[in-house]
Amino acid sequence: MAAAALCDGDVKMVIWDLDGTLWRGTLDEADADDDLADGSLAPLIRLLAQRGIVSSVCSFNDEERACAALQRLGVWELIVFPAISFDSAFSKPAAIRATLSAAGLSPANALFCDDEPRHRAAAAAALPGLLTCAPSLLPPESALRRCGSADPGCSRLQKYRLLEARRRAEAAAVSQAGAGDAAAQRFLDSCEVVVRLRPLRGASDEDLDRLVALTQRT
């Protein structure tokens, strides 16, 4: 069973649908915080983060309202690389592919949880190796507490948040300078990285040039 893979150690990210999955029904049906929280799987996001498994979101929804709902549930800060859109061109398989690419993960390292069989099937067909499951088939909380490895400070989540910030900076650099070397240089400048080089006996000018090149590439 795909959901059981959560406890096998290979899954590094769970990608959640929202309506009918992370919470019951739709946002339109949840007219109060109590309605939204009732039966919500949001507490599992925090539990997984404390076991070194990060969470993302892929949902056909109004982005502003969905983000506000996740904030009310207290898990927005635990979500990385969210993909939420009401655009008619929005594709869950394409969004999941982009999320995994940005996170540097392969499909085999992710589990997509969605209540709709057609969405799970489409994602699995487009991304061979991707694990999928219905929310009703997730392992019980007692089993999830043994998944991954203990990470009470959510250090892995913090690493992905830093990576997410870097991806945003890269995207901003490209949008401002266009693709190519100019965008890359703008991104490097925005990082404000300071490198100090110390004299090394026997080093040549060519060695110094090589160090500068490696620094820029890194």
Side-chain angles (χ1 to χ4, degrees):
M1 181 184 292
L6 262 174
C7 300
D8 293 341
D10 290 335
V11 174
K12 296 179 173 59
M13 174 182 283
V14 176
I15 303 173
W16 302 88
D17 172 46
L18 296 180
D19 291 345
T21 299
L22 195 65
W23 49 66
R24 294 179 179 176
T26 67
L27 282 178
D28 289 333
E29 296 167 344
D31 55 7
D33 288 354
D34 289 343
D35 294 335
L36 191 65
D38 183 32
S40 169
L41 298 180
L44 298 184
I45 291 179
R46 188 173 300 278
L47 187 158
L48 290 171
Q50 293 173 341
R51 301 300 301 177
I53 300 172
V54 299
S55 290
S56 184
V57 164
C58 181
S59 174
F60 186 69
N61 227 312
D62 180 84
E63 183 176 13
E64 185 175 347
R65 291 185 63 201
C67 292
L70 290 167
Q71 288 173 340
R72 298 203 306 273
L73 289 171
V75 295
W76 174 247
E77 74 279 4
L78 304 177
I79 301 292
V80 294
F81 303 108
I84 306 170
S85 176
F86 244 160
D87 193 311
S88 60
F90 182 74
S91 162
K92 286 192 174 184
I96 293 171
R97 186 188 303 277
T99 291
L100 295 178
S101 176
L105 296 173
S106 70
N109 294 135
L111 174 69
F112 175 46
C113 186
D114 194 302
D115 63 313
E116 290 283 352
R118 61 191 177 94
H119 292 319
R120 299 197 302 270
L127 299 159
L130 179 70
L131 301 169
T132 67
C133 81
S136 60
L137 297 179
L138 285 171
E141 185 174 326
S142 58
L144 292 178
R145 291 187 181 279
R146 300 191 298 272
C147 291
S149 57
D151 185 13
C154 301
S155 60
R156 177 169 286 179
L157 170 65
Q158 298 311 316
K159 291 178 181 178
Y160 278 101
R161 292 196 70 83
L162 287 173
L163 178 60
E164 183 180 32
R166 176 180 175 179
R167 297 295 189 230
R168 284 199 299 267
E170 290 174 342
V174 169
S175 66
Q176 292 179 26
D181 293 341
Q185 187 60 51
R186 182 181 290 272
F187 168 67
L188 287 172
D189 292 343
S190 71
C191 294
E192 298 182 352
V193 175
V194 177
V195 178
R196 292 182 175 87
L197 301 178
R198 296 182 178 178
L200 181 64
R201 182 178 299 174
S204 65
D205 290 342
E206 288 78 9
D207 294 326
L208 181 59
D209 291 341
R210 177 63 173 162
L211 282 173
V212 171
L214 288 173
T215 300
Q216 291 177 332
R217 191 179 306 169
T218 303

